[in-house]
Structure formats: structure tokens, C-alpha cells
């Protein structure tokens, strides 16, 4: 009989499993081949009846399911409990839910409101950016995470929740009873009309109304005189793919390919623009960065391949995977990668990554990754422009972040690992200024000194000369944070344009352009 070749690990594991069910004879052992399902059932039976620390049967099965999913070579695969699938649908897709209509963050001393949606129950009840959530239904939120707070604020539409809000300059928390309503996180929270008849559209997520919201944004800006448009996809991690097709369709001619979904077994699906484009000729600039992913990359890739928009910024994230969410018994769900996305010119959007210490890290596929990004495989746009096919969307105009000044670098080094505490102090100072600054305010030396006093009071050791050297960076951070809390994101974006090199370049290219070809011509002029 031919001797089986087992690894040491396989032999040990087999002996451990067989010892509970197979008789062992001195000098020999009996080998029994079992199918995978039988093996799993055997292990389950032993764990359920023999393990010192017993677990409920359902819990064992859930852990086994998670282990199977975690063992896949798929860093994006997820096994969801009923609660987790509910959170996934709300947070990733951004559809309507029963809540108050505000975004929250963990900031320094507790959970604070970072945004209030217009017309929401939160807005009607007087909640404001920067308010701290002190208690919910009389229970203090000390030590709570944002997830804890979110769970208690959301619920059935029409039910009430009592929230204690700490407000700047008010000694006692303001207690308000809110009635939960249907809340919709906007894909386009605001628009701006800029100089040279340029409309600015920040597309922040692909929820189930993203196409309609972008359509409304362009139409409303056109009535105000906009004839050229900037679509900002920076930081947009994606969402509903059908909405990515809908957004692309607004600017592409009927029948134009938007993307191709290639799955296992050669099952391909081609997505095309099916409707007549309402905006077929308006000059477009699309802004992307490393946070632009998934559905956002589908839009950027389609508009670039068809020479419909100039793309500016830095190479996108490269999450070009087709993922399906499969409903399971008991309200569980499985998210699994089933294919990849390709742009109309045949570029794969995906960039391979692996989990390293819990962090998604790019997999090096060449010995010179910088050279690969600069001179990667090429495809061509409809007009014959060369496009880089190296994963993600490579911009037509790559713009690196502006380097810090020597003074700003000195301050950053002095702060070192205390960066989070500095950001907290800036947030709290901006929060306290919320009701006391005009829209055109500027950071004064007195306000900057107030920040230094706060840092010192918090026990941070920041050398004063280094702090003074970083005044340029400190002023920008204070200004942006104060504007966001007091007047919203639109005010902060409008003020930041002169120091935003990607926006500045986009506005310069659009300028007086009458067509997209005018914009492309300006790249090399």
C-alpha cells in the first residue's frame, strides 16, 4: 500500500479529530476519509459537547460562517448579522431610514453633531453643528461610541427620543424631544455658482437618488447662469452602481458604454446610457483622489474614456470589484466579490490589495511601482487620447498636494503624536466661536493665542516658537473648522478654493471654455 504523504500540520490535525471517534490500535491507526460537510459536522459536535467554554449552537454556526468568509482571499467579503446588514444598507447606500437627520463624530470629550440635514427632525428641533450629545432618554452618553449613540437615536418613524444637547455658551444642557422621521442623506448637499459661469457640484455618495440629485443640481445651476461644471468626487467611496450609470447618462450620448461587469464563468454584463443626455456638451471637470472609489470610479472612467470630462487630482482608490449581497436565513447576509469592473476602453478599475494588520494595503505587482503608474499599460479614449491602465483612474492632470512650508513642518514635528489632541482643541475652539463670528471672519492673533492656551491647559507640550512658526497651517485649520460649524461645508469650500490646487487648476482649465475639446486643449497650453 502506497504511503500517504501528509504534512506535519495535516497529520496532527487529523489525529486530533480522529481520536474522538476512531479506535486506535498500538502500532497502527485507522484512516477514515470523510467529506468536507461530515468533517465540519464532526468538529461542531465535539465543540458543542466537549468544549470547556460552551457556546450556544447558533453562536457556533455564526463563528464557523465568519471563519469561512475570513479564510477567503477576498479582503472585501463580509458576513453580516441582521443588525450589521441594516447598518450596511443605511451607511453604505445612504437610503432613507428612521432617525433625526444628522451626522455625528467622536470628538475629544464626547460625541458631537458634525452635520445637520436641511429639513430634518434635527434641524426643526434646533440641533446645530458642534452640539455635544450629553444624554439620550435621560441616560448619559459618557464613554459611548458613535455606534452606541446612533443605535439609540435611530428607530421606528414617528417614535420620539429625548436628547440632551450641550451648546457653546449655555451652562446647562438643552433637552429636546425629537420625533424620528424618514431621513435621506443627500448625494449632493449643496451647490455653488463660481466665477466664469462655473457650477460646482460636490457628489458625496451614490445613494438611491444620486442621478436625480445631480440632474437637479446641474439644472438649477444652469438657471443661475452656469455653463461649465465641476463635479467633485474626492472622498466619494461609491454606493449604488445603477446610480453611477444614471449620473454618467446625464452627460453621455444614448448607447454609450458606461462600464462592463465581468464575472466568473465568462458572465459579462455591459451597462450603457439608455436615455437622451440632457447635458451633452457642457464642459466638465471631474475631481478625484485616493478616496474616490467604486461607483465614483465608474463615472470618472466612463466620462474620461468618452472624452466627456477632464479628470484632475490623484489616482483613485481602485476598488473595481463587483460585489453581491446575498440574503441568508435568519436575517443574515453575505457580501461576496463575484467579478470586476472595466471602463469602456477596457481598463480594469481594480487595484489588488491585501489585509496587513487589519489595513488594506496595495499589492506590489512590479519592482518599480512609481514607474508602473507613470508608464503603465495604455488604452485609448474615443478621440485617441492615451489613458493609463494600471488600476484605478489615472487623472488627465495629476496634481500633488502642496508641500508644507518649513514653519508648518516645524509645527507638525513639534506636535508629533499629539495630533489628535490638537485637532480636538481646534474643534472645541471653533465650536465656541460658532455664534460669534461673521461669514467673512479671519483668524486673528488673539484667536490663535486662545488655541495655544487651550493646548497648554490640556497638558500638551508644544514649543511656543514652533507653534508660532506654524501659524499659516493653524490659521487654515481654524478657519475651515469654524466656517464648517458656523456656516456649513459650502462656506468652508468657497473660502478654501484659493488654497486648493486641484480646484484652482480645474477652474483655470474651464475658464472660458465652450466645449470639452477647449478644456483638453488647455492642458498643454
Amino acid at each position: 500500500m502506497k504511503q500517504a504523504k501528509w504534512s506535519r500540520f495535516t497529520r496532527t490535525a487529523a489525529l486530533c479529530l480522529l481520536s474522538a471517534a476512531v479506535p486506535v490500535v498500538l502500532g497502527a491507526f485507522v484512516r477514515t476519509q470523510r467529506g468536507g460537510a461530515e468533517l465540519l459536522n464532526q468538529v461542531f459536535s465535539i465543540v458543542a459537547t466537549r468544549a470547556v467554554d460552551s457556546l450556544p449552537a447558533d453562536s457556533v454556526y455564526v463563528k464557523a460562517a465568519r471563519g469561512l468568509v475570513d479564510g477567503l482571499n477576498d479582503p472585501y467579503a463580509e458576513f453580516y448579522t441582521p443588525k450589521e446588514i441594516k447598518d450596511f444598507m443605511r451607511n453604505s447606500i445612504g437610503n432613507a431610514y428612521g432617525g433625526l437627520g444628522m451626522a455625528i463624530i467622536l470628538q475629544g470629550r464626547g460625541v458631537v453633531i458634525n452635520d445637520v440635514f436641511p429639513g430634518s427632525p434635527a434641524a426643526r428641533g434646533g440641533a446645530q453643528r458642534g452640539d455635544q450629545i450629553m444624554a439620550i432618554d435621560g441616560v448619559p452618553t459618557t464613554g459611548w461610541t458613535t455606534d452606541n449613540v446612533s443605535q439609540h437615536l435611530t428607530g421606528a418613524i414617528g417614535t420620539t427620543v429625548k436628547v440632551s444637547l450641550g451648546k457653546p455658551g449655555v451652562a446647562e444642557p438643552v433637552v429636546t424631544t425629537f420625533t424620528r422621521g424618514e431621513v435621506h442623506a443627500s448625494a449632493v448637499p449643496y451647490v455653488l455658482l463660481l466665477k466664469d459661469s462655473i457650477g460646482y457640484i460636490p457628489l458625496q455618495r451614490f445613494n438611491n437618488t444620486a442621478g436625480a440629485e445631480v440632474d437637479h443640481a446641474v439644472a438649477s445651476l444652469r438657471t443661475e447662469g452656469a455653463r461649465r461644471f465641476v463635479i467633485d468626487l474626492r472622498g466619494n467611496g461609491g454606493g449604488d452602481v445603477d446610480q453611477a450609470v444614471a449620473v454618467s447618462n446625464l452627460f453621455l450620448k444614448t448607447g454609450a458604454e458606461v462600464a462592463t461587469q465581468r464575472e466568473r464563468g465568462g458572465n459579462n454584463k455591459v451597462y450603457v446610457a439608455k436615455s437622451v443626455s440632457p447635458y451633452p456638451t457642457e464642459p466638465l471637470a471631474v475631481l478625484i483622489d485616493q478616496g474616490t472609489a467604486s461607483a465614483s470610479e465608474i463615472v470618472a472612467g466612463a466620462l474620461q474614456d468618452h472624452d466627456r470630462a477632464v479628470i484632475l487630482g490623484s489616482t483613485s482608490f481602485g476598488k473595481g470589484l463587483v460585489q453581491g449581497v446575498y440574503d441568508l436565513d435568519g436575517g443574515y447576509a453575505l457580501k461576496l466579490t463575484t467579478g470586476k469592473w472595466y471602463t469602456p476602453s477596457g481598463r480594469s478599475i481594480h487595484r489588488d490589495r491585501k489585509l496587513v494588520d487589519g489595513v488594506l494595503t496595495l499589492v506590489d505587482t512590479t519592482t518599480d511601482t512609481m514607474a508602473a503608474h507613470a508608464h503603465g499599460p495604455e488604452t485609448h479614449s474615443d478621440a485617441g487620447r492615451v489613458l493609463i491602465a494600471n488600476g484605478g483612474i489615472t487623472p488627465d492632470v495629476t496634481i500633488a498636494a502642496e508641500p508644507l512650508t518649513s514653519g508648518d513642518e516645524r509645527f507638525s514635528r513639534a506636535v508629533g503624536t499629539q495630533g489628535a489632541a490638537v485637532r480636538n482643541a481646534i474643534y472645541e475652539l471653533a465650536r465656541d466661536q460658532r455664534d460669534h463670528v461673521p461669514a467673512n471672519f479671519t483668524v486673528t492673533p488673539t484667536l490663535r493665542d486662545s488655541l495655544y492656551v487651550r493646548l497648554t491647559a490640556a497638558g500638551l507640550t508644544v514649543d511656543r516658537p514652533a507653534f508660532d512658526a506654524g501659524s499659516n497651517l493653524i490659521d487654515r485649520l481654524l478657519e475651515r473648522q469654524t466656517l464648517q460649524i458656523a456656516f456649513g461645508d459650502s462656506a468652508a469650500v468657497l473660502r478654501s478654493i484659493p488654497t486648493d490646487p486641484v480646484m484652482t487648476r480645474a477652474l483655470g482649465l474651464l475658464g472660458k471654455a465652450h466645449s470639452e475639446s477647449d478644456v483638453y486643449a488647455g492642458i498643454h497650453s
Side-chain angles (χ1 to χ4, degrees):
M1 181 176 179
K2 190 173 182 180
Q3 179 68 36
K5 294 182 179 179
W6 289 10
S7 70
R8 181 180 300 172
F9 173 80
T10 305
R11 185 185 299 276
T12 302
L15 286 172
C16 290
L17 287 171
L18 293 171
S19 64
V22 181
V24 178
V25 181
L26 290 176
F29 64 90
V30 178
R31 296 192 192 121
T32 302
Q33 290 186 345
R34 294 179 180 270
E38 292 181 21
L39 177 61
L40 180 60
N41 286 334
Q42 185 183 29
V43 173
F44 176 83
S45 177
I46 295 170
V47 169
T49 59
R50 302 282 186 87
V52 173
D53 297 321
S54 62
L55 293 170
D58 287 349
S59 178
V60 174
Y61 278 118
V62 169
K63 288 181 179 293
R66 285 199 189 279
L68 173 60
V69 173
D70 290 343
L72 298 174
N73 187 28
D74 182 355
Y76 300 101
E78 296 279 357
F79 176 78
Y80 293 106
T81 63
K83 176 190 174 301
E84 290 168 339
I85 188 62
K86 179 182 177 182
D87 291 344
F88 167 76
M89 294 302 294
R90 189 185 74 211
N91 296 331
S92 296
I93 306 301
N95 293 335
Y97 62 93
L100 304 188
M102 57 191 187
I104 57 177
I105 59 172
L106 190 63
Q107 187 70 47
R109 58 193 176 189
V111 175
V112 300
I113 299 173
N114 193 52
D115 195 10
V116 176
F117 305 157
S120 66
R124 292 194 297 271
Q128 294 178 283
R129 285 175 182 250
D131 287 353
Q132 183 179 355
I133 299 174
M134 309 293 292
I136 299 175
D137 286 331
V139 180
T141 58
T142 305
W144 286 19
T145 65
T146 53
D147 284 341
N148 295 145
V149 172
S150 179
Q151 290 170 19
H152 285 77
L153 291 179
T154 56
I157 293 174
T159 58
T160 60
V161 59
K162 185 181 296 183
V163 184
S164 299
L165 298 174
K167 292 178 174 287
V170 180
E172 296 296 325
V174 176
V175 181
T176 304
T177 298
F178 297 91
T179 300
R180 297 183 178 98
E182 184 175 283
V183 175
H184 186 83
S186 297
V188 181
Y190 62 91
V191 295
L192 293 172
L193 179 62
L194 306 177
K195 66 177 183 178
D196 295 327
S197 302
I198 297 173
Y200 173 75
I201 302 171
L203 179 50
Q204 297 185 350
R205 59 178 58 84
F206 284 88
N207 60 12
N208 61 339
T209 59
E213 289 188 50
V214 174
D215 188 6
H216 176 74
V218 176
S220 63
L221 284 167
R222 279 176 58 87
T223 62
E224 295 179 29
R227 294 296 177 265
R228 307 158 186 87
F229 298 89
V230 174
I231 299 177
D232 196 343
L233 291 175
R234 291 177 294 183
N236 186 329
D240 192 324
V241 170
D242 288 336
Q243 293 301 312
V245 177
V247 170
S248 301
N249 198 159
L250 294 172
F251 308 102
L252 297 176
K253 62 183 180 181
T254 306
E257 181 180 332
V258 175
T260 297
Q261 172 183 316
R262 301 182 189 175
E263 297 195 352
R264 182 177 178 178
N267 297 321
N268 298 340
K269 182 177 181 180
V270 179
Y271 291 80
V272 300
K274 295 182 178 180
S275 305
V276 176
S277 168
Y279 315 110
T281 60
E282 284 81 352
L284 293 177
V286 174
L287 314 185
I288 65 174
D289 63 8
Q290 293 179 347
T292 303
S294 190
S296 295
E297 294 173 295
I298 289 175
V299 172
L303 297 182
Q304 186 180 45
D305 283 13
H306 292 303
D307 303 291
R308 188 60 193 85
V310 62
I311 312 298
L312 302 95
S314 54
T315 301
S316 63
F317 184 84
K319 188 176 184 293
L321 297 177
V322 179
Q323 293 177 302
V325 178
Y326 301 89
D327 293 331
L328 307 174
D329 291 342
Y332 294 87
L334 173 65
K335 184 177 72 165
L336 193 66
T337 298
T338 59
K340 293 184 178 181
W341 288 106
Y342 292 80
T343 71
S345 68
R347 293 181 291 166
S348 172
I349 291 175
H350 190 59
R351 302 171 75 185
D352 287 333
R353 285 175 169 81
K354 61 182 178 181
L355 281 172
V356 178
D357 297 328
V359 178
L360 282 173
T361 305
L362 275 172
V363 176
D364 290 335
T365 55
T366 66
T367 56
D368 186 352
T369 54
M370 289 299 291
H373 284 292
H375 308 289
E378 296 177 352
T379 61
H380 296 84
S381 71
D382 291 352
R385 295 185 304 111
V386 174
L387 304 172
I388 303 299
N390 198 47
I393 303 300
T394 301
D396 299 301
V397 181
T398 299
I399 302 173
E402 285 190 347
L404 295 176
T405 65
S406 58
D408 293 343
E409 284 186 349
R410 180 181 175 185
F411 170 69
S412 298
R413 286 195 301 270
V415 169
T417 58
Q418 303 174 108
V422 173
R423 288 191 296 273
N424 288 339
I426 289 173
Y427 190 95
E428 292 183 1
L429 179 56
R431 177 178 179 267
D432 290 346
Q433 297 297 311
R434 184 182 69 191
D435 300 323
H436 310 290
V437 294
N440 62 347
F441 97 102
T442 57
V443 177
T444 63
T446 301
L447 188 61
R448 199 183 311 127
D449 288 342
S450 296
L451 177 62
Y452 187 79
V453 170
R454 285 175 182 259
L455 294 177
T456 303
L460 275 69
T461 55
V462 180
D463 180 59
R464 182 65 201 225
F467 179 87
D468 292 337
S471 60
N472 181 56
L473 175 60
I474 291 168
D475 287 358
R476 291 207 310 272
L477 294 173
L478 266 174
E479 180 183 86
R480 185 176 184 88
Q481 190 69 84
T482 304
L483 284 169
Q484 282 181 319
I485 293 176
F487 303 103
D489 290 332
S490 59
V493 168
L494 194 60
R495 184 76 69 88
S496 71
I497 288 176
T499 58
D500 183 343
V502 181
M503 271 286 287
T504 302
R505 183 78 166 110
L507 297 180
L509 285 175
L510 288 174
K512 305 294 183 182
H514 297 288
S515 67
E516 200 61 42
S517 59
D518 291 341
V519 182
Y520 286 120
I523 294 175
H524 304 292
S525 62

